Amino acid sequence: MKLSSPIYTLKRQAKRLSRDNGMPLHQALNRIATQEGYSDWSHLTATYAKATPAQKIIRQMRPGDMMLIAARPGHGKTLLGLELGALAPRINRTGHVFTLDDTETQVHQRLSQLGYDPAAPGQSIVVDTSDSICADHIMNHLTTAPDKALIVVDYLQLLDQRRSTPQLDHQIQALRSFATQHGAIIVAIAQIDRAFERSAQGLPGVADIRLPNPADLSLFDTRCFLHDGVIQLEKAA
């Protein structure tokens, strides 16, 4: 059964329904799921997890790949990145999430909303929420079996928020070298500049990615843009 909208859009609808009608969020989620033809939200997410864009993307990933996922807030970039991390065991890898934006509890809640149980056998995912996350931190924590790692970084622009860390461009170059040398797969989540919402574009592009400091985004093999339920993949030239 095809959803009328991507799951993250349905979730936004449920939050709005909950807020506007003063009902608990779980009830609003179940009502949205019922409208989509499912018995409840858990039934919807379990079914959704069987055939999502992430399922297709994960099958295309190869050792040493670097992917950039970019969108404005609320368009599903974090959920897509986390789902790729949760799917890592399907390509014989372990998912590692390094986030400067969420707590571990929030990461697990997001995964649960997608129908994944991080504690279930074969679905383990390593979550790091340290304030010191940067390229060096990531590489130092993957000294064991880096060739079996699928790394999700949430999100790119926060890597150089501290003065003590190298500039963003240097960190991307370091991660590029690490992925190439060890065969790790790296997925970086990035923000789109607010000015995009004032444009007439249908989908954001590389020029719309917010970069507080210059960075060579051509180092990413694949770039993935999301907006209003549409996903577009493009290979770096």
Side-chain angles (χ1 to χ4, degrees):
M1 187 182 302
K2 186 177 180 180
L3 299 178
S4 63
S5 301
I7 196 167
Y8 45 85
T9 301
L10 295 176
K11 185 182 174 186
R12 288 206 306 270
Q13 293 174 7
K15 287 183 176 179
R16 188 161 51 245
L17 180 65
S18 173
R19 182 180 63 250
D20 294 346
N21 293 276
M23 68 171 62
L25 179 58
H26 73 274
Q27 290 184 9
L29 288 167
N30 287 339
R31 180 176 294 185
I32 293 294
T34 300
Q35 293 172 0
E36 294 293 317
Y38 295 87
S39 58
D40 54 28
W41 185 256
S42 62
H43 180 208
L44 183 152
T45 55
T47 304
Y48 170 87
K50 296 176 183 178
T52 66
Q55 304 276 353
K56 299 178 181 178
I57 293 171
I58 197 78
R59 292 196 293 267
Q60 301 174 28
M61 289 184 157
R62 299 293 180 266
D65 278 355
M66 292 230 317
M67 171 180 279
L68 186 66
I69 299 175
R72 286 292 296 153
H75 288 269
K77 62 184 182 296
T78 301
L79 286 177
L80 177 58
L82 291 181
E83 188 170 5
L84 290 172
L87 290 171
R90 298 197 181 185
I91 55 172
N92 299 314
R93 290 178 178 265
T94 298
H96 296 261
V97 175
F98 294 87
T99 177
L100 286 155
D101 203 38
D102 282 340
T103 65
E104 185 171 358
T105 297
Q106 288 172 322
V107 171
H108 287 172
Q109 287 174 342
R110 290 179 185 269
L111 290 170
S112 178
Q113 290 162 3
L114 288 169
Y116 295 95
D117 179 4
Q123 288 195 13
S124 62
I125 189 166
V126 181
V127 180
D128 189 329
T129 61
S130 169
D131 290 336
S132 60
I133 290 174
C134 63
D136 285 341
H137 176 93
I138 292 169
M139 294 184 293
N140 289 338
H141 279 68
L142 288 165
T143 54
T144 303
D147 59 320
K148 294 296 184 182
L150 191 154
I151 303 156
V152 180
V153 183
D154 184 21
Y155 51 89
L156 190 69
Q157 286 87 353
L158 291 179
L159 288 181
D160 66 347
Q161 66 177 344
R162 292 180 296 114
R163 293 183 180 180
S164 59
T165 57
Q167 292 182 357
L168 180 60
D169 190 53
H170 295 165
Q171 293 194 58
I172 294 175
Q173 291 180 36
L175 290 173
R176 171 73 274 173
S177 297
F178 180 82
T180 301
Q181 180 180 353
H182 296 285
I185 294 175
I186 299 177
V187 177
I189 299 168
Q191 291 185 333
I192 292 296
D193 194 272
R194 187 178 299 172
F196 168 77
E197 295 182 345
R198 299 191 295 270
S199 71
Q201 292 174 252
L203 277 168
V206 175
D208 299 304
I209 294 175
R210 186 175 68 81
L211 288 175
N213 297 304
D216 183 3
L217 300 182
S218 69
L219 294 172
F220 289 91
D221 305 286
T222 306
R223 296 184 286 257
C224 177
F225 298 101
L226 300 86
H227 192 71
D228 284 343
V230 178
I231 297 179
Q232 177 174 294
L233 292 176
E234 62 179 40
K235 295 291 185 180

